Amino acid sequence: MPHPERLAAPHGSQNPARLSLLQSALGLGHLALHGAGQITELVAEMHETIAHAPLPLSRRTPDARRAPLPYRIVSGSFTGLAGLLGELAGQLPDHDGEATPDNESRLLLRAVLNGVMGDKLARWNSPLALPMSFHDRHGQRLADSELHDDSSANLTLILHGLCMHDRGWMNPAHLAFADQLERNGHRVAWIRYNSGLPIGVNGQELADRLQNLHGSPQRKLHLVGHSMGGLLMRSACHYADVSAHSWPGSLESCAYLSTPHHGAPYERMGHLVNSVTGVSAYSRPFMRLGNIRSAAIRDLRYGNIFADAQPEAWDINQKDSRPPLPELVAHARHLLLGGGRDEQTADSWVGDGLVPVYSALGQHRDPTRELRGEQITRRQIEHLDHIAMLADERIYEQLVEWLILPVAERL
């Protein structure tokens, strides 16, 4: 989704830290007003439902547009004020700023909000919606041309997961890994994106962005994704094939760190609870609260990577309706890492706390849904936590072996 044009700051007139803080304040105000409008519509739906007195188990759908006029006036006022704040925020320059603790705290807040409701932030043109962008280890944005024109033999791109951001990788173990990559001829960059957009939509954009970066076919591309980031990689490969992009020809390897290839049970549980709310006509308006969760979270129900196969938010009988899974890029090597927090959870749906082992390893009881490819390596790591793994030295030992060591030493 296109983002509003940002105007350059007048020379010497504004402090970047103050601009960043002001933009955050405007963004939160914009979000609060839209939230107030949504709450008003929920109350309007309740009023409209009670006024029509349907049977308790009626499938009647509430409609705030049929509620009394004052509700629509209040809701419209909140939405209009939110639009004004959004336009004001859009006039400020887009400034990433230095990686200070304050900036990182605001970035974390934005990342969490994007993961939870990023599709709505994008639809509302919220200044809090994160665009897809490439960054260096210091958090500074990199232009596509900087990565396209680089002369290094390898380009390694690293993708975060749901509700996270590129700065979440910056721990000693990860930075030591990045140093080792750079010493071995890799240019390393981290991708920041709105993790609440449908995974397929992000995958389409990533496929197009990688096509823009694609230069010499001799330059090898490596992708590393944690959790949802791995689904984004698979989605990008799928849409690159659909669009006949050339960059997959340079794809050397992909590493998927605890990626929910077949979904995460917690989203299926959340979907069930929210769907039960819709059983009665009188409780159905409250589904609006559960449906605030982003399209990307709904994609995690079964690991959907297709933009045109978005799971329904309300269907209590929703099954795994994904189209046949495309095979992983044949000439590239694929490393799938998964694990459990302890011996008991390693064999259960709990897995590493969020993703079961079978899902992280792309395994499925239905052979037709097994993740397939010509060069797949599956490895299970004991006592692995989903978030703590970002600083787990065992993970980076696996990645160093996978990305750096010659084939003869890897086998």
Side-chain angles (χ1 to χ4, degrees):
M1 180 173 294
H3 290 268
E5 181 181 357
R6 306 284 186 175
L7 300 183
H11 179 70
S13 64
Q14 288 144 330
N15 181 288
R18 290 180 180 176
L19 280 175
S20 179
L21 185 59
L22 176 60
Q23 191 170 51
S24 297
L26 290 173
L28 290 173
H30 179 270
L31 176 60
L33 287 168
H34 268 293
Q38 292 292 304
I39 294 297
T40 303
E41 290 191 13
L42 186 155
V43 176
E45 289 178 354
M46 285 294 300
H47 184 124
E48 188 266 343
T49 299
I50 294 171
H52 285 79
L55 294 174
L57 298 182
S58 166
R59 295 297 297 175
R60 183 179 183 277
T61 301
D63 188 348
R65 293 172 296 181
R66 296 194 294 255
L69 179 61
Y71 288 108
R72 284 174 280 161
I73 293 175
V74 173
S75 176
S77 298
F78 282 132
T79 302
L81 289 172
L84 291 175
L85 278 187
E87 290 181 9
L88 180 58
Q91 301 305 308
L92 298 177
D94 189 12
H95 180 76
D96 286 325
E98 298 178 359
T100 64
D102 286 345
N103 285 340
E104 290 199 17
S105 296
R106 289 195 290 272
L107 177 57
L108 176 60
L109 174 62
R110 288 183 68 184
V112 171
L113 287 172
N114 275 251
V116 171
M117 53 185 302
D119 54 335
K120 297 162 189 65
L121 294 179
R123 188 170 68 246
W124 296 336
N125 291 320
S126 169
L128 295 175
L130 290 168
M132 183 174 289
S133 52
F134 301 96
H135 295 259
D136 64 17
R137 66 170 66 201
H138 305 294
Q140 297 300 315
R141 183 175 297 183
L142 299 170
D144 290 11
S145 58
E146 294 181 72
L147 296 175
H148 180 276
D149 296 335
D150 195 274
S151 60
S152 57
N154 297 276
L155 174 62
T156 298
L157 300 176
I158 301 175
L159 295 90
H160 61 77
L162 177 71
C163 292
M164 302 185 74
H165 56 86
D166 54 295
R167 302 300 302 161
W169 291 96
M170 302 307 158
N171 59 76
H174 183 83
L175 291 173
F177 164 67
D179 289 340
Q180 195 163 356
L181 286 179
E182 291 172 351
R183 288 195 298 268
N184 284 271
H186 290 245
R187 174 69 186 271
V188 185
W190 292 260
I191 298 179
R192 181 186 301 175
Y193 63 97
N194 179 345
S195 62
L197 291 177
I199 291 171
V201 171
N202 272 328
Q204 288 175 316
E205 181 174 359
L206 179 59
D208 293 340
R209 296 291 292 273
L210 292 179
Q211 183 65 12
N212 292 338
L213 297 183
H214 189 226
S216 167
Q218 283 72 43
R219 191 188 195 200
K220 299 304 180 184
L221 174 64
H222 307 267
L223 299 175
V224 177
H226 172 241
S227 195
M228 181 188 286
L231 293 176
L232 195 57
M233 290 156 45
R234 285 180 47 217
S235 181
C237 289
H238 167 69
Y239 285 108
D241 183 60
V242 170
S243 301
H245 287 334
S246 57
W247 65 262
S250 298
L251 187 61
E252 178 80 5
S253 64
C254 296
Y256 310 85
L257 313 183
S258 197
T259 291
H261 295 290
H262 297 305
Y266 285 111
E267 159 54 16
R268 293 198 281 275
M269 292 168 60
H271 167 66
L272 178 62
V273 170
N274 192 49
S275 298
V276 169
T277 307
V279 169
S280 170
Y282 294 94
S283 61
R284 196 164 297 130
F286 290 96
M287 289 186 71
R288 181 183 290 269
L289 299 178
N291 289 340
I292 198 172
R293 71 192 194 282
S294 67
I297 292 177
R298 295 200 300 273
D299 278 332
L300 291 180
R301 196 177 308 161
Y302 293 107
N304 176 50
I305 63 170
F306 306 100
D308 54 355
Q310 178 65 208
E312 294 289 347
W314 58 268
D315 185 1
I316 194 171
N317 297 312
Q318 178 73 27
K319 302 296 184 183
D320 186 356
S321 58
R322 290 175 294 170
L325 302 184
E327 290 196 9
L328 301 178
V329 176
H331 62 265
R333 296 176 294 107
H334 302 271
L335 175 64
L336 281 64
L337 295 179
R341 303 178 93 172
D342 51 46
E343 288 76 7
Q344 288 74 36
T345 60
D347 296 325
S348 72
W349 61 269
V350 177
D352 62 10
L354 289 176
V355 179
V357 176
Y358 72 85
S359 185
L361 300 184
Q363 298 169 328
H364 202 284
R365 64 171 63 94
D366 179 355
T368 64
R369 293 207 175 276
E370 186 92 3
L371 201 58
R372 301 180 305 278
E374 295 183 9
Q375 302 185 67
I376 296 181
T377 298
R378 295 177 169 90
R379 292 179 181 172
Q380 181 175 337
I381 300 177
E382 297 180 353
H383 301 285
L384 187 70
D385 180 87
H386 191 76
I387 301 300
M389 70 184 300
L390 297 179
D392 193 316
E393 293 185 356
R394 297 172 300 168
I395 294 294
Y396 298 108
E397 289 172 359
Q398 297 287 329
L399 292 178
V400 166
E401 175 186 333
W402 194 250
L403 295 174
I404 296 177
L405 293 182
V407 174
E409 294 183 41
R410 190 185 304 123
L411 300 177

